[in-house]
Amino acid sequence: MHSYNAMMGPTTRKLEIENKQTCIIDMRAWVCISLSYQLLILPVKEMFHLVCMVIIFVDISAAVSTCDKTVNISSSVTTIDLQDTPVKPDQCTWTLQSPSKTTIVVKIIDIQLRGSLDRVIALDGPHENATVIQQCGLYCNLKGSFLISSKNQMLIQTYLGANEDIRIFSVQAWAQGQLCLLFSVFNKCTSIGTRSVFVYLIVNVQAWAQDNGGRFYDKGYITLKNSTDNSSYYQLHSTIKQSDEKLQVQLILNDSLMYPASSVKVYDGISDQDPLLANFRTKEQFVPITSSQQDLLIVTEGFNDQLLYFGGSFDSIKPDCHKVSSGSSGSFSLDRKNFMTECDWLINPTMSSGNIILDLSSVDLCENETLVIYEGLSSFGQKLATITKKTQLSSYPLFSATAANGLSIFLNGQTSNSTCKTTPFSGSYWTVPGCSGDLQPSGMITSPLYPSQYPLNYVCQWNVKPGNKTTSLYITFNTLDMSGATTINVDVESKQVANYTGSALPASDLVTKVTSNTSASIVFDSNTGNLGTGIEIPGQGFSLSYKILECGSQINADNGTLSSDTDIPANVTECIWVITVPQAASQFKNSVSLNLYITGGGKGYKIELRDGGSVRSPLLYSGFESMSSVTTNNMVWMRYAKNSTENDVAADNTSFNLYFDTFTITLCDKISRLPYEEYILHRKNFSAKCTWAITPNQTSGNVIFEIRSTELCDNETLYVYEGAPMTDRKLGTITKTTQLSRYPKFSASVKKGLR
């Protein structure tokens, strides 16, 4: 237990504690001094407790005896208290003054007002008619806020109501490294249940005169050149002139030299505890910043180098006309009554990766109005589209920009259109993850938002990871529907090996070699050729399948051989080749003549051949037996696959050799392998002899052949054979003199075919 004694006078009591701490208690203003810098709770008579909170040594005899005081910010430690005031003051005024050509920064550490009439007012100048910086009444919360003057004087006034509750007004202020501590005390204790708590109340001001910064109103330009300040504080404030008016502050930092040590932080309000809107460290990071209310706080650090500086302009704007969206999604609809001659919507998500997707849901412009969309947050960005009343559409494709760059929409009009009542534009946006990445051993990739239309100005890149051995990248398209300006490029070592666009599926799949430790990529680009002068209409996009194989290639030659002994590495399970022979001269057509020889008795794999250059082409052969055939065009698709149901020994004991050669026929010759097909011979393609060979890809059944019309000339004869012409069974002979208007149907076995 602590022992204590009290000396009671009209206004003071003294409490002595056994460890020699002393509290001098004034009934109007309580001051506690602790020699050991401790906080003690003392038991007092009738269960009352006295709390002594000590911050610093204070010479009570040197304290100023009035609450109205002018404080020189550049002076040494100053004390303000109310202990000698005969009664609780209704009003106190502190005038803060710093050297000329400087400004004052005040930070409020704590403020607690109890009465409904209590208030604290900060004025931007030394007189009561100066512009109000901030005022605070009951229930307001300015804790942590900055009050910044536009010049070198500031007036702080406190007004206390009639009730006797505790008042707290604690302020911290600074300017250019000089320190002032001002102390004041509360007026009376308050009862809490059966206890009374005495609180030591502090007004704590640290102040210095900053060379840069200050308070700025409505619009203008701010600058900061090299400074000895550790930090400089700028407060941008938009003045509301009508009670129903709403204004925001928009800041554009447009010139600087900051790297590597300096930074510019922008807060949405008057406190560094308000949301941090940006932390700029280089000029390249600059984006327009818009406050949600009337104030922006800018804190600069590290501009103490002779070469470092920054500058920017700011303006007061209407919130319905200018908007900055930083969320992962949002929407905007411009009300024409808020549009004068220029409005903008800046989309700047806080995410650093991924893409923005913009859906421009409606555009209804008036004469002389132009809507421009940019990637980036200013008109210096890449232009994506320009829209006028004459060029506007009923619906628009989606637009895209990288989240790191942002996206902006600017609406401009030469004059306001008072008679035009339409909504100029509305839209929404959302963000999606980036579409780039590394390819797996096999899979499928699609255009952004597939199967819906892809956005304009979208780039995706899928990479093949470099390996320690040569591989083959195989690509086949499942769907393809793109505008002419949208491309898909396949690059190996930064060299383009294939390019795709349009809506026609490629006739040939791609098989390209990727050597060890080299790079390869598939790049989708919906921005190529778009200069922002018009709006392209994108298609559905694309879907492709890919495999990274251990062997296979694209073969372009007149003839050649593929062999299991030389073209398939050991322990390989799958290979794909696309063989292309040259195109023929006019009046002729080149096909591929194939001869496949299988040796060994095993069944460890199978060979698949297709009549064309793609896996989508008609199947020509599938199995593990020797065969001969001719394609209908100048390409053949070949796949080797090890049979998983057989053991490796069976595969090792079986080998193949495929010999291919160019087979030239006239344009009028045709080979049909489908279950059903039609053929019309145009006389312009007719040479001395034309053959239509019908050999369906079936093992049993019959071919039914119907001649719908003939119009032969003199000395022309039409023959129909089952099997080979001139050697197998002839089914019919037709000449000009024997031709009919209607013919019976002919039949032949599928195994022999029909000519």
Side-chain angles (χ1 to χ4, degrees):
M1 292 289 293
H2 295 284
S3 62
Y4 68 92
N5 61 72
M7 297 184 300
M8 298 184 60
T11 60
T12 63
R13 298 176 182 175
K14 179 177 180 182
L15 301 181
E16 287 190 9
I17 307 168
E18 64 182 357
N19 63 359
K20 302 304 181 181
Q21 296 179 5
T22 301
C23 287
I24 301 175
I25 303 173
D26 190 301
M27 297 303 292
R28 298 174 305 274
W30 299 78
V31 179
C32 298
I33 302 174
S34 171
L35 302 180
S36 60
Y37 297 87
Q38 295 180 354
L39 171 64
L40 298 178
I41 300 178
L42 306 178
V44 289
K45 188 177 181 180
E46 298 177 353
M47 302 301 294
F48 282 69
H49 289 67
L50 173 65
V51 180
C52 296
M53 183 187 300
V54 180
I55 304 300
I56 195 169
F57 288 109
V58 179
D59 183 358
I60 299 299
S61 62
V64 179
S65 62
T66 178
C67 65
D68 296 316
K69 183 177 181 181
T70 297
V71 181
N72 187 343
I73 298 302
S74 62
S75 66
S76 57
V77 174
T78 304
T79 300
I80 297 177
D81 62 64
L82 306 178
Q83 68 168 350
D84 293 333
T85 304
V87 295
K88 173 179 67 66
D90 293 329
Q91 177 178 339
C92 284
T93 300
W94 299 337
T95 301
L96 307 183
Q97 181 172 300
S98 64
S100 61
K101 297 182 180 180
T102 65
T103 57
I104 301 171
V105 181
V106 172
K107 183 176 183 180
I108 300 176
I109 299 303
D110 196 10
I111 179 169
Q112 298 181 29
L113 304 179
R114 302 294 181 177
S116 59
L117 298 179
D118 291 359
R119 67 186 188 276
V120 176
I121 301 176
L123 301 170
D124 192 11
H127 307 295
E128 292 187 353
N129 60 353
T131 301
V132 175
I133 297 175
Q134 288 291 334
Q135 60 177 327
C136 186
L138 187 64
Y139 306 125
C140 92
N141 183 16
L142 290 180
K143 186 176 180 178
S145 298
F146 289 89
L147 311 178
I148 305 174
S149 66
S150 61
K151 296 183 179 179
N152 66 325
Q153 290 180 310
M154 182 187 298
L155 199 66
I156 298 178
Q157 295 178 323
T158 62
Y159 296 86
L160 302 181
N163 71 65
E164 299 295 321
D165 287 343
I166 298 174
R167 269 70 169 190
I168 297 177
F169 177 41
S170 179
V171 174
Q172 183 183 39
W174 61 89
Q176 197 56 34
Q178 299 182 19
L179 181 66
C180 293
L181 298 178
L182 309 180
F183 296 87
S184 182
V185 296
F186 68 96
N187 54 42
K188 190 175 180 180
C189 66
T190 184
S191 295
I192 304 176
T194 60
R195 299 179 179 181
S196 293
V197 179
F198 298 95
V199 180
Y200 184 69
L201 189 59
I202 302 171
V203 176
N204 184 346
V205 177
Q206 294 176 316
W208 69 81
Q210 59 176 3
D211 296 325
N212 294 284
R215 183 173 173 86
F216 298 83
Y217 296 93
D218 298 327
K219 63 187 303 183
Y221 197 85
I222 58 174
T223 59
L224 183 148
K225 295 189 180 298
N226 61 85
S227 172
T228 58
D229 295 355
N230 179 50
S231 301
S232 294
Y233 293 78
Y234 297 75
Q235 197 169 71
L236 311 182
H237 177 78
S238 57
T239 305
I240 293 178
K241 299 179 175 61
Q242 300 177 4
S243 59
D244 60 345
E245 187 176 26
K246 294 182 179 180
L247 290 176
Q248 297 169 299
V249 179
Q250 188 172 75
L251 170 69
I252 300 177
L253 298 175
N254 47 25
D255 194 15
S256 76
L257 180 60
M258 303 171 61
Y259 185 81
S262 58
S263 68
V264 177
K265 296 180 180 179
V266 185
Y267 298 91
D268 189 15
I270 60 174
S271 168
D272 58 3
Q273 301 304 307
D274 288 326
L276 178 65
L277 298 179
N279 184 9
F280 301 123
R281 293 188 177 276
T282 66
K283 180 181 178 181
E284 288 70 25
Q285 295 177 319
F286 283 3
V287 296
I289 297 295
T290 303
S291 65
S292 62
Q293 300 296 327
Q294 288 178 260
D295 295 277
L296 272 180
L297 175 67
I298 303 172
V299 181
T300 67
E301 297 178 347
F303 284 89
N304 52 5
D305 189 291
Q306 291 292 325
L307 299 176
L308 301 181
Y309 65 92
F310 89 88
S313 60
F314 70 97
D315 200 355
S316 298
I317 60 174
K318 293 182 178 180
D320 293 329
C321 187
H322 302 270
K323 182 175 182 179
V324 175
S325 296
S326 58
S328 59
S329 63
S331 60
F332 182 46
S333 180
L334 177 60
D335 190 339
R336 185 166 290 281
K337 68 180 181 181
N338 296 319
F339 174 54
M340 297 301 289
T341 58
E342 182 176 334
C343 286
D344 56 73
W345 181 21
L346 309 180
I347 303 172
N348 182 36
T350 55
M351 58 191 294
S352 59
S353 61
N355 285 74
I356 303 166
I357 307 296
L358 172 67
D359 183 1
L360 202 60
S361 55
S362 70
V363 176
D364 198 353
L365 303 178
C366 298
E367 297 293 342
N368 301 320
E369 291 179 349
T370 303
L371 187 71
V372 187
I373 304 173
Y374 295 92
E375 177 171 20
L377 299 172
S378 72
S379 58
F380 296 105
Q382 180 182 359
K383 185 185 294 184
L384 305 184
T386 301
I387 306 171
T388 65
K389 183 174 179 60
K390 292 182 179 180
T391 62
Q392 64 188 17
L393 306 174
S394 57
S395 63
Y396 291 86
L398 300 177
F399 296 90
S400 174
T402 61
N405 290 339
L407 191 146
S408 56
I409 303 176
F410 291 89
L411 176 63
N412 295 285
Q414 296 179 2
T415 58
S416 60
N417 291 273
S418 58
T419 59
C420 189
K421 305 299 182 183
T422 61
T423 299
F425 76 93
S426 61
S428 60
Y429 78 93
W430 64 95
T431 52
V432 295
C435 56
S436 301
D438 294 329
L439 296 180
Q440 301 302 312
S442 64
M444 184 174 72
I445 57 178
T446 63
S447 52
L449 307 184
Y450 182 87
S452 299
Q453 284 187 342
Y454 57 84
L456 298 180
N457 193 48
Y458 212 113
V459 177
C460 301
Q461 179 170 320
W462 298 272
N463 302 311
V464 178
K465 293 182 179 179
N468 55 8
K469 58 183 176 180
T470 299
T471 57
S472 295
L473 173 62
Y474 168 73
I475 296 173
T476 181
F477 280 87
N478 308 311
T479 59
L480 184 64
D481 181 20
M482 304 190 305
S483 66
T486 301
T487 61
I488 300 171
N489 294 329
V490 180
D491 300 327
V492 177
E493 281 297 289
S494 302
K495 294 181 179 180
Q496 186 183 105
V497 297
N499 174 268
Y500 305 95
T501 189
S503 57
L505 285 170
S508 172
D509 294 344
L510 176 68
V511 190
T512 183
K513 290 281 189 180
V514 180
T515 58
S516 60
N517 300 319
T518 62
S519 61
S521 59
I522 304 171
V523 180
F524 168 82
D525 187 353
S526 63
N527 180 49
T528 305
N530 181 11
L531 301 178
T533 55
I535 298 177
E536 300 167 7
I537 304 301
Q540 183 184 30
F542 75 91
S543 166
L544 67 79
S545 299
Y546 70 89
K547 294 180 181 180
I548 300 175
L549 305 172
E550 293 183 84
C551 68
S553 64
Q554 208 98 15
I555 300 175
N556 298 283
D558 293 331
N559 54 71
T561 303
L562 279 174
S563 174
S564 56
D565 296 331
T566 58
D567 296 296
I568 300 179
N571 301 319
V572 168
T573 59
E574 183 180 20
C575 303
I576 295 176
W577 296 267
V578 176
I579 302 171
T580 304
V581 299
Q583 293 282 1
S586 60
Q587 296 293 317
F588 294 93
K589 177 181 179 181
N590 280 351
S591 297
V592 185
S593 173
L594 299 167
N595 291 282
L596 175 65
Y597 297 96
I598 305 293
T599 59
K603 299 180 180 180
Y605 61 86
K606 72 174 182 178
I607 300 295
E608 183 180 335
L609 298 171
R610 292 189 174 271
D611 190 5
S614 170
V615 69
R616 302 183 307 275
S617 302
L619 182 64
L620 187 64
Y621 168 82
S622 178
F624 41 85
E625 297 177 352
S626 299
M627 57 82 67
S628 296
S629 186
V630 177
T631 65
T632 60
N633 56 67
N634 69 323
M635 290 183 288
V636 64
W637 184 92
M638 178 179 177
R639 176 175 178 263
Y640 160 89
K642 182 177 288 188
N643 190 342
S644 61
T645 63
E646 303 290 340
N647 57 44
D648 292 339
V649 174
D652 292 340
N653 291 334
T654 305
S655 63
F656 75 86
N657 286 280
L658 176 72
Y659 300 96
F660 66 90
D661 201 351
T662 303
F663 181 71
T664 303
I665 58 177
T666 62
L667 287 176
C668 63
D669 292 326
K670 181 178 177 66
I671 301 174
S672 295
R673 304 187 189 281
L674 299 175
Y676 172 84
E677 194 167 6
E678 295 182 354
Y679 177 46
I680 300 175
L681 175 59
H682 295 281
R683 188 165 292 279
K684 66 180 181 179
N685 295 324
F686 178 54
S687 59
K689 181 181 179 181
C690 288
T691 301
W692 182 17
I694 303 172
T695 58
N697 294 314
Q698 296 174 224
T699 58
S700 63
N702 288 76
V703 178
I704 305 299
F705 176 62
E706 179 183 9
I707 299 176
R708 292 183 179 176
S709 68
T710 59
E711 191 68 42
L712 301 177
C713 298
D714 292 335
N715 301 319
E716 291 179 346
T717 304
L718 179 65
Y719 299 96
V720 181
Y721 289 90
E722 180 182 32
M726 310 306 292
T727 59
D728 286 342
R729 185 164 66 100
K730 184 188 297 184
L731 303 180
T733 301
I734 306 170
T735 64
K736 180 177 176 63
T737 58
T738 62
Q739 64 187 4
L740 305 173
S741 60
R742 183 177 180 181
Y743 294 91
K745 295 178 181 178
F746 300 90
S747 176
S749 68
V750 167
K751 287 187 177 181
K752 288 190 174 183
L754 190 143
R755 305 290 191 276

